Amino acid sequence: MFRANLTAVVTALCMAFSAHFNPAAAQDRRVPSSPAELRLSYAPIVQRVQPAVVNVYAAKVVQNRNPLLDDPIFRRFFGGGEQQEQVQRSLGSGVIVDSSGLIVTNVHVIEGADQVKVSLADKREFEAEIVLKDSRSDLAVLRLKDTKEKFPALEFTNSDELMVGDVVLAIGNPFGVGQTVTHGIISALARTQVGITDYQFFIQTDAPINPGNSGGALVDMNGRLAGINTAIYSRSGGSQGIGFAIPANMVRVVVASAKSGGTAVKRPWLGAKLQAVTAEIAESLGLRSPTGALVASVVPNGPAAKAGLKSSDLITGIDGQAVDDPNAFDYRFATRPLGGTAQIDVQRGSKPLKLTIALETAPDSGRNELVITTRSPFQGARISTITPAVADELHLDVDTEGVVVTDIGDGTAAQNVGFQKGDIILSVNSQKIIRTSDLEKAAKEQPRLWRIALVRGGQQINVTLGG
């Protein structure tokens, strides 16, 4: 009995030693063959990757203004008063992805921050600057300030090669208690109905993830970055075994844009609107199951049109990878490198086709983005003329024209009135709004009533506000 156990232990240690120095061996997937193997430790992986995972502290100053100060009679009798400042703080995690001090975290961790600090695993703290924010993927890139040393960084794995059942480790700063490691497996891949970001394509894991883990690392058994932990499904605020991570292949795209000096992520533009295949549509098309992305409309002279894609075509794959729904296609397409081509599999009627589409960015000239500063219901709204690039970013119909709200300032008149990101302004006091300059001019007028027509979620809304 003793010899049998000793043999199992020696065998297990040899296999662990081999996997540590031979990444190919570590990729072998198998069930543990003995009790001794169950006593093996993740410590070598943790020791290697933990120094590259950091804590991110963000702070912003907000003004607590008494609404009575807006009343001139109140100010006359009680004075103007002073606005009280309050510092709001948020806590999250991040991952060093370049030895120069480049860090990836979530946008929602540092959103609106006036100051960002990063604490390393060795307790040292650095000021950090925001290099790039990509709200569409909820990823942000930071750079450590005033340092020239080389930092430990994680390499990316190919997240398309991950499989359900693979063991993963989640590392971050849950609830602010300090750096913590949890382990679990990949529960599902390509989750597209989560509703967190524009690109609905997440790794689901049962590795415990809690508030504060956002922006932290999900690593594989080779110690490579498999994803960035970003959200949990919870009814209590704590982990309930369902966590979501942004795949490493999307993170790689955002980091590459930051390294190249870009302030925004540039992605390929399809030039077509896609819709999900329902059970009814699948039946009408003679499909066995409701999968794929149905082409609803195509922009004239866009990449899709030039490739020969037509309305009612069914996209079933891209570069040999299956496409289950429009969200899956959006993710696959967005992670393709610009400048080349992609091959998409299409079902047109009963005929399968392969089309080659150019990977190029959407035209963006004429955006003319600006913030309305004039005292009006639009004060504090950032607006843009709708270009193909803007329509793509906000998921508007490909033929949409006019002016759209792209952001709303906190505590502004536009926010208080109820404007939302994505609102399309059609007219103000019967004046048609085509360009941002039209709305800027209309906002400078001081009418007694504001009659505004807008589109929200495909529905036209008419509102009247007092001047």
Side-chain angles (χ1 to χ4, degrees):
M1 181 66 71
F2 175 79
R3 289 181 177 176
N5 287 340
L6 179 61
T7 301
V9 170
V10 171
T11 302
L13 289 175
C14 288
M15 295 182 70
F17 182 86
S18 174
H20 180 70
F21 290 99
N22 184 1
Q27 283 290 350
D28 292 340
R29 298 178 173 93
R30 59 186 179 80
V31 176
S33 61
S34 69
E37 287 196 22
L38 294 176
R39 291 194 292 271
L40 296 178
S41 174
Y42 298 118
I45 299 173
V46 173
Q47 290 171 2
R48 192 162 68 250
V49 305
Q50 206 167 27
V53 182
V54 302
N55 300 335
V56 178
Y57 303 91
K60 67 177 178 179
V61 177
V62 296
Q63 303 287 341
N64 287 334
R65 178 176 175 79
N66 190 329
L68 292 175
L69 293 176
D70 293 330
D71 188 335
I73 297 178
F74 182 91
R75 292 200 304 270
R76 177 180 175 186
F77 286 99
F78 297 99
E82 294 184 359
Q83 298 185 37
Q84 299 295 319
E85 290 187 348
Q86 180 182 2
V87 178
Q88 292 183 349
R89 303 182 187 277
S90 64
L91 171 67
S93 305
V95 182
I96 302 176
V97 292
D98 187 89
S99 60
S100 64
L102 213 59
I103 294 169
V104 171
T105 186
N106 286 134
V107 168
H108 72 259
V109 171
I110 51 89
E111 188 65 80
D114 300 311
Q115 183 184 49
V116 179
K117 287 187 176 181
V118 169
S119 175
L120 304 187
D122 60 11
K123 307 301 182 184
R124 287 185 297 161
E125 286 194 354
F126 293 87
E127 295 277 347
E129 61 177 336
I130 300 173
V131 178
L132 181 151
K133 290 196 304 183
D134 184 49
S135 297
R136 301 187 70 184
S137 64
D138 193 27
L139 291 172
V141 180
L142 314 176
R143 186 184 299 279
L144 298 181
K145 291 182 179 179
D146 304 322
T147 179
K148 294 183 179 179
E149 68 176 282
K150 296 296 183 181
F151 296 92
L154 292 191
E155 297 180 3
F156 293 104
T157 193
N158 182 356
S159 53
D160 286 341
E161 294 180 354
L162 297 173
M163 297 178 67
V164 174
D166 283 352
V167 176
V168 287
L169 304 179
I171 308 176
N173 186 7
F175 296 112
V177 300
Q179 195 173 87
T180 301
V181 181
T182 57
H183 94 285
I185 63 169
I186 292 177
S187 309
L189 294 166
R191 284 297 193 213
T192 60
Q193 303 298 321
V194 181
I196 303 170
T197 67
D198 283 0
Y199 294 105
Q200 303 279 328
F201 200 88
F202 295 93
I203 300 168
Q204 182 182 323
T205 178
D206 68 346
I209 296 173
N210 289 289
N213 272 109
S214 290
L218 188 74
V219 300
D220 64 12
M221 291 297 96
N222 284 327
R224 295 193 178 115
L225 186 66
I228 294 293
N229 300 320
T230 190
I232 59 174
Y233 176 82
S234 176
R235 293 176 178 172
S236 64
S239 173
Q240 292 184 311
I242 301 179
F244 300 101
I246 301 167
N249 287 359
M250 176 60 78
V251 182
R252 195 197 309 266
V253 170
V254 176
V255 171
S257 293
K259 284 184 176 180
S260 67
T263 56
V265 180
K266 294 186 179 299
R267 297 183 172 92
W269 174 53
L270 178 63
K273 183 179 180 181
L274 306 179
Q275 69 180 75
V277 178
T278 64
E280 292 77 11
I281 293 176
E283 184 178 358
S284 68
L285 295 176
L287 302 176
R288 294 180 59 185
S289 59
T291 60
L294 191 64
V295 179
S297 57
V298 178
V299 178
N301 298 317
K306 292 176 181 177
L309 198 66
K310 298 180 179 180
S311 296
S312 300
D313 281 350
L314 181 69
I315 299 177
T316 59
I318 175 171
D319 288 339
Q321 294 174 309
V323 169
D324 291 333
D325 56 35
N327 287 323
F329 179 85
D330 287 346
Y331 168 82
R332 298 287 186 201
F333 196 65
T335 54
R336 293 298 184 273
L338 288 167
T341 60
Q343 189 175 74
I344 56 176
D345 298 315
V346 173
Q347 190 76 24
R348 181 176 295 167
S350 59
K351 183 180 179 182
L353 300 173
K354 289 187 179 295
L355 303 178
T356 301
I357 187 167
L359 299 171
E360 57 189 49
T361 59
D364 201 25
S365 59
R367 179 188 289 246
N368 299 325
E369 196 169 48
L370 56 88
V371 177
I372 300 294
T373 57
T374 309
R375 189 175 182 274
S376 69
F378 303 100
Q379 187 176 24
R382 181 178 294 276
I383 59 172
S384 172
T385 301
I386 300 174
T387 64
V390 172
D392 184 51
E393 291 170 11
L394 298 179
H395 296 285
L396 304 176
D397 288 341
V398 292
D399 57 351
T400 304
E401 297 179 345
V403 171
V404 65
V405 177
T406 58
D407 197 14
I408 301 286
D410 290 337
T412 61
Q415 185 184 62
N416 294 335
V417 166
F419 285 113
Q420 298 178 11
K421 180 179 178 179
D423 286 347
I424 302 169
I425 311 301
L426 301 179
S427 66
V428 177
N429 292 333
S430 301
Q431 298 179 37
K432 189 174 182 180
I433 305 299
I434 300 175
R435 294 172 291 274
T436 55
S437 57
D438 297 334
L439 185 55
E440 185 179 36
K441 179 181 177 182
K444 292 179 180 178
E445 301 176 0
Q446 298 297 318
R448 296 183 61 183
L449 292 175
W450 295 86
R451 294 185 297 277
I452 303 167
L454 59 90
V455 171
R456 176 180 299 168
Q459 301 293 320
Q460 181 167 332
I461 303 173
N462 298 299
V463 296
T464 301
L465 304 170

